Amino acid sequence: METLESGLSRRGRILAREEEYGDHPSPVDAADAYALDHLRDLIAEAVRRNSDVELDGTDLVLISITGRSPMSTVVAYDVLRPRRLLVIHSGRGEEAVNVIGDYVVGPGRLRHSEFFHNHVDAIDPRVVYQIIKDFLSRPDISRDRVILNITGGNKVMSAAAALAAWQLDLELCYVDVEPDPATGHIRPETQRLLLLDNPISIFGDQEMVRAAELLRAGAFDIASKRYQDLSDRLASPSVARFWKAVSDLYKAWCDLVLADLPALADRVEDLLNSYGEPLSPAITSRIRQQVAFLRRLDDSTESRLNLILGLHILGGHYSRLGRNDFAALLYYRTIEGCLAWRLEETHRGFLCDSPDYTLLGDDIESGYAALSIGSPEDDSGLPSKVSLVAAARLLACTDDDFAKRAGLTSQRAIRNLADLTATRNKSVLAHGFKPIDVESSENLGSRAFFYLKKIWELHRPGEDLDDLRKHLAFVVPPESGDSMAKEE
């Protein structure tokens, strides 16, 4: 039985023209044919020893770029044992395809229907990509594991195949070999199959940019899924994990799922401590302030002011995204929240949903009527539920300090507020079918923040609301080529 050592010795003689083997156009072709005919199993065993390749038993598909020599494709086939094989070749590789077919198709190997081959124009890299994409779209081709062998073919074909693999998220392999220093010919016993990770899987720069764009656009659920996928694949996943956690936190905030906020905030803070990219001190401080703020955001009476501020922050977020109807609704809720909170805070026990007007003092009904603005509800007396405008009238007629600071002390001021908030009532998200324009939404936002500031001056004089609002605005990931996170 021939050994690898004796077989390689005979192969060397064929290369040196000291011995003939078959009718082949060159000694290299003859030597390759001899190796494939007589040393194939021994070479495959040597390559497996030299290689660090783990096969998980999935329905593997091999795509191989081939030039004049069939050797690298046959070696890759022998080591990987795919269930499907596609060979892509240029004009000079047609004979190599015939040879490959002879060695990979047959009993115990591939059936003819499992061996595919395509000719390409070697100078047009787009064709290589399209052939691979079309092949993978076939219903009989599994995408469980696809490996693209870029060893053979010319430089343009191999480069095009590599780009296609990166774009289609395929594994790459390369049959590496040490040439004989004396002759320059390959030494089959030194071959090893290298599996190359997709650069997207290692570094993920482009995918991280796409995920960041989703986060900036407010598509927090999709961004979270993209970051999760990246964190599963990247060699250094800490950055993807961090921004996934931020996406999850912002989504819960936008959805006002208050019960989930503390745990999500803890997750962001934990990952912030192991973040793998530089964040500016200002951005780090902002994220920590957001985490602290959102931990306290719940539906308790003590947290209502924080919740009202949180609504206004969300209004600003939607405004920057151009979603004016959502922004206006949140600004409206901010104004409504400020007025209702002040009324209930200064008259303990009073509830806007079920008002006890005796808690507001004597002759409240006549004071309320004196501030009538001519709306249909004015003739019905004190309302059974206190609306936004009704809360403003009640604050004004109880000589409230907030109403004075906010300028809500006259029929004209209250009518102006009613006209402003009527914009929201006509929105498709309220009672009408008219979309809200940018100017109307911004006017509501300005008024909402004005009322918030007056509340803060009275109840939290030690806090700078302008600074707090700036620090609570959403943070977005760094853009391509920029290591620092951005403010919205």
Side-chain angles (χ1 to χ4, degrees), residues 55 75 108 111 146 151 163 179 229 269 323 329 379 381 398 455:
L55 301 178
V75 167
R111 294 179 295 177
V146 181
T151 312
L163 290 172
D229 178 62
E269 187 169 55
R323 303 181 71 178
L329 179 62
D379 295 336
T398 55
I455 289 288

Side-chain angles (χ1 to χ4, degrees), residues 106-211:
R109 296 171 184 165
L110 298 176
R111 294 179 295 177
H112 287 281
S113 61
E114 297 167 335
F115 175 54
F116 307 84
H117 49 89
N118 277 91
H119 173 271
V120 300
D121 182 349
I123 64 172
D124 189 349
R126 295 171 297 180
V127 176
V128 175
Y129 169 80
Q130 194 60 49
I131 286 175
I132 295 173
K133 185 177 180 182
D134 291 345
F135 175 70
L136 295 177
S137 68
R138 290 172 55 106
D140 59 331
I141 300 300
S142 169
R143 286 294 301 267
D144 288 348
R145 189 172 186 186
V146 181
I147 298 178
L148 201 162
N149 177 20
I150 59 172
T151 312
N154 61 36
K155 293 179 180 179
V156 173
M157 288 176 64
S158 294
L163 290 172
W166 298 338
Q167 184 67 28
L168 298 170
D169 196 19
L170 311 179
E171 291 182 78
L172 290 170
C173 78
Y174 183 81
V175 180
D176 191 28
V177 65
E178 294 181 14
D180 187 311
T183 65
H185 296 305
I186 68 168
R187 298 164 57 198
E189 76 279 11
T190 68
Q191 292 180 111
R192 56 177 180 158
L193 188 86
L194 303 176
L195 287 181
L196 312 175
D197 284 328
N198 190 322
I200 291 176
S201 298
I202 303 173
F203 307 111
D205 289 350
Q206 293 183 7
E207 292 296 305
M208 288 289 284
V209 169
R210 294 189 184 100

Side-chain angles (χ1 to χ4, degrees), residues 24 42 54 65 115 124 204-205 212 222 254 263 296-297 325 353 356 389 422 435 465-466:
H24 298 282
L42 296 172
E54 293 185 6
I65 304 300
F115 175 54
D124 189 349
D205 289 350
I222 304 175
C254 284
R296 303 190 304 269
L297 207 60
D325 288 88
D353 284 343
D356 178 358
V389 174
L465 188 62
D466 289 290

Side-chain angles (χ1 to χ4, degrees), residues 222-279:
I222 304 175
S224 173
K225 292 176 183 177
R226 185 68 62 87
Y227 282 122
Q228 179 62 59
D229 178 62
L230 285 164
S231 68
D232 291 339
R233 295 191 288 123
L234 294 181
S236 299
S238 61
V239 176
R241 288 174 182 164
F242 172 75
W243 289 110
K244 171 187 163 43
V246 171
S247 301
D248 292 339
L249 181 65
Y250 286 170
K251 182 180 186 302
W253 187 357
C254 284
D255 294 345
L256 295 173
V257 186
L258 304 182
D260 292 350
L261 290 176
L264 293 171
D266 289 344
R267 174 70 173 163
V268 169
E269 187 169 55
D270 289 343
L271 291 172
L272 179 60
N273 296 328
S274 60
Y275 187 79
E277 294 288 337
L279 288 173

Side-chain angles (χ1 to χ4, degrees), residues 254 308-336 420-421 423-424 427-429 435-449:
C254 284
I308 294 167
L309 174 58
L311 294 176
H312 188 268
I313 299 298
L314 292 182
H317 165 69
Y318 283 114
S319 179
R320 283 183 287 274
L321 296 178
R323 303 181 71 178
N324 299 314
D325 288 88
F326 281 91
L329 179 62
L330 289 158
Y331 290 146
Y332 180 95
R333 290 285 290 116
T334 302
I335 296 172
E336 184 178 53
L420 179 66
T421 56
T423 303
R424 169 264 179 187
S427 162
V428 293
L429 296 180
I436 295 178
D437 57 49
V438 175
E439 183 179 2
S440 298
S441 178
E442 289 179 348
N443 288 339
L444 268 174
S446 297
R447 184 69 64 88
F449 190 63

